[in-house]
PDB file of all heavy atoms in Angstrom:
ATOM      1  N   GLN M 540      20.100 -38.620   4.802  1.00 88.00           N
ATOM      2  CA  GLN M 540      19.960 -39.527   3.580  1.00 88.00           C
ATOM      3  C   GLN M 540      18.467 -39.429   3.230  1.00 88.00           C
ATOM      4  O   GLN M 540      17.758 -40.344   3.027  1.00 88.00           O
ATOM      5  CB  GLN M 540      20.321 -40.980   3.875  1.00 88.00           C
ATOM      6  CG  GLN M 540      21.812 -41.165   3.821  1.00 88.00           C
ATOM      7  CD  GLN M 540      22.391 -40.737   2.287  1.00 88.00           C
ATOM      8  OE1 GLN M 540      22.064 -41.405   1.332  1.00 88.00           O
ATOM      9  NE2 GLN M 540      23.197 -39.746   2.347  1.00 88.00           N
ATOM     10  N   GLN M 541      18.076 -38.082   2.954  1.00 90.00           N
ATOM     11  CA  GLN M 541      16.740 -37.944   2.587  1.00 90.00           C
ATOM     12  C   GLN M 541      16.547 -37.153   1.233  1.00 90.00           C
ATOM     13  O   GLN M 541      17.512 -36.225   1.011  1.00 90.00           O
ATOM     14  CB  GLN M 541      15.892 -37.217   3.621  1.00 90.00           C
ATOM     15  CG  GLN M 541      15.304 -38.043   4.824  1.00 90.00           C
ATOM     16  CD  GLN M 541      14.629 -37.230   5.773  1.00 90.00           C
ATOM     17  OE1 GLN M 541      14.628 -36.019   5.824  1.00 90.00           O
ATOM     18  NE2 GLN M 541      13.694 -37.921   6.488  1.00 90.00           N
ATOM     19  N   LEU M 542      15.498 -37.335   0.467  1.00 93.00           N
ATOM     20  CA  LEU M 542      15.176 -36.296  -0.517  1.00 93.00           C
ATOM     21  C   LEU M 542      14.010 -35.451   0.023  1.00 93.00           C
ATOM     22  O   LEU M 542      12.862 -36.031   0.379  1.00 93.00           O
ATOM     23  CB  LEU M 542      14.778 -37.135  -1.695  1.00 93.00           C
ATOM     24  CG  LEU M 542      15.824 -37.885  -2.408  1.00 93.00           C
ATOM     25  CD1 LEU M 542      15.280 -38.666  -3.579  1.00 93.00           C
ATOM     26  CD2 LEU M 542      16.992 -36.891  -2.947  1.00 93.00           C
ATOM     27  N   ARG M 543      14.019 -34.144  -0.096  1.00 92.00           N
ATOM     28  CA  ARG M 543      12.893 -33.296   0.395  1.00 92.00           C
ATOM     29  C   ARG M 543      12.574 -32.317  -0.683  1.00 92.00           C
ATOM     30  O   ARG M 543      13.433 -31.859  -1.455  1.00 92.00           O
ATOM     31  CB  ARG M 543      13.486 -32.604   1.621  1.00 92.00           C
ATOM     32  CG  ARG M 543      13.751 -33.379   2.882  1.00 92.00           C
ATOM     33  CD  ARG M 543      14.092 -32.506   4.041  1.00 92.00           C
ATOM     34  NE  ARG M 543      14.708 -33.232   5.071  1.00 92.00           N
ATOM     35  CZ  ARG M 543      15.280 -32.573   6.138  1.00 92.00           C
ATOM     36  NH1 ARG M 543      15.353 -31.199   6.212  1.00 92.00           N
ATOM     37  NH2 ARG M 543      15.815 -33.327   7.172  1.00 92.00           N
ATOM     38  N   CYS M 544      11.248 -32.176  -0.791  1.00 94.00           N
ATOM     39  CA  CYS M 544      10.744 -31.019  -1.516  1.00 94.00           C
ATOM     40  C   CYS M 544      10.623 -29.789  -0.692  1.00 94.00           C
ATOM     41  O   CYS M 544       9.959 -29.707   0.257  1.00 94.00           O
ATOM     42  CB  CYS M 544       9.398 -31.454  -2.144  1.00 94.00           C
ATOM     43  SG  CYS M 544       8.714 -30.062  -3.175  1.00 94.00           S
ATOM     44  N   HIS M 545      11.282 -28.690  -1.031  1.00 91.00           N
ATOM     45  CA  HIS M 545      11.246 -27.444  -0.316  1.00 91.00           C
ATOM     46  C   HIS M 545       9.955 -26.686  -0.610  1.00 91.00           C
ATOM     47  O   HIS M 545       9.757 -25.618  -0.073  1.00 91.00           O
ATOM     48  CB  HIS M 545      12.520 -26.585  -0.607  1.00 91.00           C
ATOM     49  CG  HIS M 545      13.724 -27.180   0.039  1.00 91.00           C
ATOM     50  ND1 HIS M 545      14.940 -26.560   0.033  1.00 91.00           N
ATOM     51  CD2 HIS M 545      13.960 -28.285   0.759  1.00 91.00           C
ATOM     52  CE1 HIS M 545      15.877 -27.199   0.631  1.00 91.00           C
ATOM     53  NE2 HIS M 545      15.230 -28.313   1.102  1.00 91.00           N
ATOM     54  N   HIS M 546       9.099 -27.189  -1.373  1.00 91.00           N
ATOM     55  CA  HIS M 546       7.721 -26.572  -1.760  1.00 91.00           C
ATOM     56  C   HIS M 546       6.618 -26.987  -0.998  1.00 91.00           C
ATOM     57  O   HIS M 546       5.687 -26.382  -0.530  1.00 91.00           O
ATOM     58  CB  HIS M 546       7.618 -26.523  -3.134  1.00 91.00           C
ATOM     59  CG  HIS M 546       8.775 -25.832  -3.951  1.00 91.00           C
ATOM     60  ND1 HIS M 546       8.782 -24.519  -4.121  1.00 91.00           N
ATOM     61  CD2 HIS M 546       9.741 -26.325  -4.757  1.00 91.00           C
ATOM     62  CE1 HIS M 546       9.830 -24.241  -4.863  1.00 91.00           C
ATOM     63  NE2 HIS M 546      10.440 -25.213  -5.296  1.00 91.00           N
ATOM     64  N   CYS M 547       6.513 -28.448  -0.937  1.00 92.00           N
ATOM     65  CA  CYS M 547       5.359 -29.095  -0.260  1.00 92.00           C
ATOM     66  C   CYS M 547       5.759 -29.891   0.945  1.00 92.00           C
ATOM     67  O   CYS M 547       4.892 -30.383   1.633  1.00 92.00           O
ATOM     68  CB  CYS M 547       4.620 -29.871  -1.262  1.00 92.00           C
ATOM     69  SG  CYS M 547       5.567 -31.425  -1.680  1.00 92.00           S
ATOM     70  N   ASP M 548       7.108 -29.957   1.241  1.00 90.00           N
ATOM     71  CA  ASP M 548       7.666 -30.637   2.412  1.00 90.00           C
ATOM     72  C   ASP M 548       7.560 -32.161   2.201  1.00 90.00           C
ATOM     73  O   ASP M 548       7.708 -32.711   3.283  1.00 90.00           O
ATOM     74  CB  ASP M 548       7.148 -30.083   3.667  1.00 90.00           C
ATOM     75  CG  ASP M 548       8.054 -30.349   4.831  1.00 90.00           C
ATOM     76  OD1 ASP M 548       9.275 -30.333   4.671  1.00 90.00           O
ATOM     77  OD2 ASP M 548       7.589 -30.574   5.961  1.00 90.00           O
ATOM     78  N   ALA M 549       7.349 -32.668   1.026  1.00 93.00           N
ATOM     79  CA  ALA M 549       7.331 -34.123   0.844  1.00 93.00           C
ATOM     80  C   ALA M 549       8.733 -34.640   1.169  1.00 93.00           C
ATOM     81  O   ALA M 549       9.783 -34.013   0.775  1.00 93.00           O
ATOM     82  CB  ALA M 549       6.850 -34.465  -0.468  1.00 93.00           C
ATOM     83  N   GLN M 550       8.835 -35.812   1.744  1.00 93.00           N
ATOM     84  CA  GLN M 550      10.113 -36.422   1.991  1.00 93.00           C
ATOM     85  C   GLN M 550      10.203 -37.928   1.696  1.00 93.00           C
ATOM     86  O   GLN M 550       9.127 -38.650   1.953  1.00 93.00           O
ATOM     87  CB  GLN M 550      10.525 -36.240   3.579  1.00 93.00           C
ATOM     88  CG  GLN M 550      10.503 -34.793   4.095  1.00 93.00           C
ATOM     89  CD  GLN M 550      10.768 -34.674   5.519  1.00 93.00           C
ATOM     90  OE1 GLN M 550      11.110 -35.699   6.215  1.00 93.00           O
ATOM     91  NE2 GLN M 550      10.477 -33.469   6.074  1.00 93.00           N
ATOM     92  N   ARG M 551      11.352 -38.449   1.337  1.00 93.00           N
ATOM     93  CA  ARG M 551      11.441 -39.900   1.020  1.00 93.00           C
ATOM     94  C   ARG M 551      12.842 -40.232   1.133  1.00 93.00           C
ATOM     95  O   ARG M 551      13.800 -39.386   0.921  1.00 93.00           O
ATOM     96  CB  ARG M 551      10.815 -40.380  -0.235  1.00 93.00           C
ATOM     97  CG  ARG M 551      11.418 -39.775  -1.488  1.00 93.00           C
ATOM     98  CD  ARG M 551      10.699 -40.447  -2.721  1.00 93.00           C
ATOM     99  NE  ARG M 551      11.346 -40.126  -3.984  1.00 93.00           N
ATOM    100  CZ  ARG M 551      10.902 -39.269  -4.846  1.00 93.00           C
ATOM    101  NH1 ARG M 551       9.811 -38.535  -4.476  1.00 93.00           N
ATOM    102  NH2 ARG M 551      11.550 -38.893  -5.977  1.00 93.00           N
ATOM    103  N   PRO M 552      13.273 -41.402   1.418  1.00 94.00           N
ATOM    104  CA  PRO M 552      14.614 -41.911   1.559  1.00 94.00           C
ATOM    105  C   PRO M 552      15.415 -41.775   0.223  1.00 94.00           C
ATOM    106  O   PRO M 552      14.696 -41.934  -0.822  1.00 94.00           O
ATOM    107  CB  PRO M 552      14.546 -43.292   2.076  1.00 94.00           C
ATOM    108  CG  PRO M 552      13.247 -43.442   2.625  1.00 94.00           C
ATOM    109  CD  PRO M 552      12.295 -42.552   1.888  1.00 94.00           C
ATOM    110  N   VAL M 553      16.629 -41.561   0.223  1.00 92.00           N
ATOM    111  CA  VAL M 553      17.362 -41.700  -0.994  1.00 92.00           C
ATOM    112  C   VAL M 553      17.501 -43.046  -1.435  1.00 92.00           C
ATOM    113  O   VAL M 553      17.804 -43.909  -0.683  1.00 92.00           O
ATOM    114  CB  VAL M 553      18.789 -41.099  -0.786  1.00 92.00           C
ATOM    115  CG1 VAL M 553      19.733 -41.291  -1.971  1.00 92.00           C
ATOM    116  CG2 VAL M 553      18.797 -39.690  -0.332  1.00 92.00           C
ATOM    117  N   PRO M 554      17.006 -43.347  -2.648  1.00 91.00           N
ATOM    118  CA  PRO M 554      17.087 -44.781  -3.163  1.00 91.00           C
ATOM    119  C   PRO M 554      18.563 -45.301  -3.256  1.00 91.00           C
ATOM    120  O   PRO M 554      19.498 -44.637  -3.390  1.00 91.00           O
ATOM    121  CB  PRO M 554      16.494 -44.773  -4.542  1.00 91.00           C
ATOM    122  CG  PRO M 554      16.676 -43.287  -4.984  1.00 91.00           C
ATOM    123  CD  PRO M 554      16.642 -42.394  -3.689  1.00 91.00           C
ATOM    124  N   GLU M 555      18.555 -46.763  -3.000  1.00 87.00           N
ATOM    125  CA  GLU M 555      19.896 -47.229  -2.968  1.00 87.00           C
ATOM    126  C   GLU M 555      20.319 -47.473  -4.454  1.00 87.00           C
ATOM    127  O   GLU M 555      21.533 -47.545  -4.773  1.00 87.00           O
ATOM    128  CB  GLU M 555      19.792 -48.666  -2.287  1.00 87.00           C
ATOM    129  CG  GLU M 555      19.589 -48.473  -0.816  1.00 87.00           C
ATOM    130  CD  GLU M 555      19.477 -49.920  -0.227  1.00 87.00           C
ATOM    131  OE1 GLU M 555      19.741 -50.992  -0.790  1.00 87.00           O
ATOM    132  OE2 GLU M 555      19.335 -49.895   1.107  1.00 87.00           O
ATOM    133  N   GLN M 556      19.427 -47.511  -5.376  1.00 89.00           N
ATOM    134  CA  GLN M 556      19.877 -47.633  -6.689  1.00 89.00           C
ATOM    135  C   GLN M 556      18.700 -46.839  -7.597  1.00 89.00           C
ATOM    136  O   GLN M 556      17.767 -46.406  -7.116  1.00 89.00           O
ATOM    137  CB  GLN M 556      19.850 -49.167  -7.213  1.00 89.00           C
ATOM    138  CG  GLN M 556      18.410 -49.889  -6.968  1.00 89.00           C
ATOM    139  CD  GLN M 556      18.579 -51.300  -7.343  1.00 89.00           C
ATOM    140  OE1 GLN M 556      19.552 -51.854  -7.411  1.00 89.00           O
ATOM    141  NE2 GLN M 556      17.430 -51.998  -7.303  1.00 89.00           N
ATOM    142  N   CYS M 557      19.071 -46.711  -8.809  1.00 93.00           N
ATOM    143  CA  CYS M 557      18.222 -45.871  -9.746  1.00 93.00           C
ATOM    144  C   CYS M 557      16.917 -46.505  -9.867  1.00 93.00           C
ATOM    145  O   CYS M 557      16.748 -47.650 -10.300  1.00 93.00           O
ATOM    146  CB  CYS M 557      18.824 -45.577 -10.982  1.00 93.00           C
ATOM    147  SG  CYS M 557      17.776 -44.680 -12.235  1.00 93.00           S
ATOM    148  N   PRO M 558      15.693 -45.785  -9.503  1.00 91.00           N
ATOM    149  CA  PRO M 558      14.457 -46.369  -9.613  1.00 91.00           C
ATOM    150  C   PRO M 558      14.188 -46.678 -11.123  1.00 91.00           C
ATOM    151  O   PRO M 558      13.149 -47.451 -11.463  1.00 91.00           O
ATOM    152  CB  PRO M 558      13.394 -45.347  -9.102  1.00 91.00           C
ATOM    153  CG  PRO M 558      14.316 -44.488  -8.280  1.00 91.00           C
ATOM    154  CD  PRO M 558      15.698 -44.455  -8.922  1.00 91.00           C
TER     155      PRO M 558
END
Side-chain angles (χ1 to χ4, degrees):
Q540 281 301 298
Q541 280 185 336
L542 295 173
R543 294 184 193 171
C544 176
H545 288 182
H546 301 283
C547 71
D548 204 32
Q550 301 178 13
R551 65 175 185 258
V553 174
E555 295 183 1
Q556 58 187 12
C557 175

